[in-house]
Amino acid sequence: MVYIDKEKLKEIYPPNFRLDGDIQKGYINEDGTIEGVFTLDGFEPCTLDGMEGLWNEEKRLFIPNEVAEQGAKSLVGAPILAPTPKIENIREFFEKRYSMLDCYFENDESVYNLSTDEDVLKKYEDSKTSFVFLSIDMVKSTELSLKLPLELNSIFDNLFLNEIASIIRGMGGYVYKSVGDELIAFFEPANLLNKVDDSILCSDYIRVFILDYLNKFLEKNNLPQVGFRTSINYGEVYVKNVGDKLELNGYNLSATIKLQNFAKDNEIILGSNVVNIANKKWKSRMKKLKVNPRKLKKEGLHEGMKVYRLHNLEGRYD
């Protein structure tokens, strides 16, 4: 019979490995106490030598409830898998943004906000830190630029990027920079598990908005339909001031951008760094891609990196 404490648990599971669980019939109070029963996947409630806890038959592992609850306390006041977005009703948010799309063609500057969220980065200046990164670009934008007048093409790009930025910020993320038709964003890992979930949910919201709302607007105005490619990754970078501008430097950011090359039209690609951290409900929708190590090396990625695609998403574009 094996008893386990928090330190021993860290030895068994790698850093940032997610032990998924649920709080049944309850929430975590502000004082950290849990109302309800906390469970972990693969574990069953058990009483051992008078101590209540959870038992995993495969690992022959017993975790006292007090230890198991520590994993939930970081989500104070919210149930497991509760994202932390500012958007309360995503459908209402989509409808509101849809009603504002005409503003881009009326030179209404109020809809433009692609500036870098430098206030967030300032607290990390001259230090190493980890972020969850999300990168998205427009599919076949070069072909569109050849079809559209120069002024209209500029409006097209701004509409696409600004609407994505509004969703990202609404989901608790921040804009790092936009380059051409590509937008790079980051999520602070104050609570890493939640931020990974938020970034994946954010990417799915972007997918729905582009395909169900933005393209509907474009079709109504006899404009070309658009597609996207999205990639999500997690890792450490260095925040440095370069010419009075904060820059993020490091492999993990560049890897996020390069992962887009493995995406087909309207696909969401995930780096292996986020897979172990993601909630089980997202993991069930992740499919590992067969990628030749030579192609990874050619793209400047670690040859052992695993690449996943998010699939079986709800909606008519599965």
Side-chain angles (χ1 to χ4, degrees), residues 135-139 160 182 227-231 257 259-269:
S135 178
I136 181 168
D137 70 358
M138 189 192 302
V139 169
F160 180 84
E182 181 176 33
F228 66 90
R229 297 183 306 166
T230 304
S231 55
I257 300 167
L259 279 170
Q260 283 184 4
N261 295 328
F262 296 93
K264 297 179 181 177
D265 292 1
N266 304 330
E267 277 195 346
I268 299 166
I269 294 295

Side-chain angles (χ1 to χ4, degrees), residues 121 131 133 176 186 237-240 246-250 253:
L121 292 176
F131 295 114
F133 296 105
Y176 171 50
F186 64 96
V237 292
Y238 191 81
V239 184
K240 185 177 181 180
L246 293 175
E247 297 280 352
L248 303 180
N249 296 298
L253 174 57

Side-chain angles (χ1 to χ4, degrees), residues 86-100 163 165-171 205 209 213:
K86 301 172 185 176
I87 302 174
E88 294 184 2
N89 185 310
I90 191 61
R91 291 296 171 185
E92 289 181 3
F93 179 86
F94 284 164
E95 292 293 343
K96 182 179 179 180
R97 298 305 304 185
Y98 179 81
S99 69
M100 296 169 60
E163 288 307 304
S166 71
I167 297 173
I168 288 169
R169 290 189 172 113
M171 288 299 295
Y205 282 170
F209 182 78
Y213 289 83

Side-chain angles (χ1 to χ4, degrees), residues 52-117:
E52 293 186 357
L54 303 170
W55 172 254
N56 184 300
E57 181 66 26
E58 180 183 353
K59 294 183 179 293
R60 306 296 296 172
L61 181 66
F62 177 80
I63 304 178
N65 277 343
E66 182 181 354
V67 175
E69 289 173 359
Q70 295 300 314
K73 285 186 177 179
S74 60
L75 300 174
V76 174
I80 294 290
L81 188 59
T84 54
K86 301 172 185 176
I87 302 174
E88 294 184 2
N89 185 310
I90 191 61
R91 291 296 171 185
E92 289 181 3
F93 179 86
F94 284 164
E95 292 293 343
K96 182 179 179 180
R97 298 305 304 185
Y98 179 81
S99 69
M100 296 169 60
L101 294 179
D102 282 319
C103 294
Y104 290 96
F105 298 88
E106 298 168 357
N107 297 318
D108 185 346
E109 295 295 328
S110 66
V111 293
Y112 292 87
N113 187 11
L114 281 177
S115 58
T116 300
D117 291 314

Side-chain angles (χ1 to χ4, degrees), residues 259 262 269-270 287-289 291 296 305-308:
L259 279 170
F262 296 93
I269 294 295
L270 306 154
K287 182 177 181 180
K288 185 179 177 182
L289 303 182
V291 179
L296 287 169
M305 188 175 192
K306 296 179 178 63
V307 182
Y308 294 77

Side-chain angles (χ1 to χ4, degrees), residues 180-219:
D181 64 350
E182 181 176 33
L183 183 70
I184 305 166
F186 64 96
F187 291 74
E188 280 189 285
N191 182 323
L192 178 58
L193 304 187
N194 260 18
K195 293 308 176 184
V196 166
D197 290 342
D198 287 353
S199 67
I200 299 173
L201 183 58
C202 179
S203 69
D204 192 32
Y205 282 170
I206 291 171
R207 176 188 73 93
V208 173
F209 182 78
I210 291 174
L211 299 178
D212 286 0
Y213 289 83
L214 179 55
N215 276 341
K216 176 183 174 182
F217 171 83
L218 295 173
E219 183 179 15

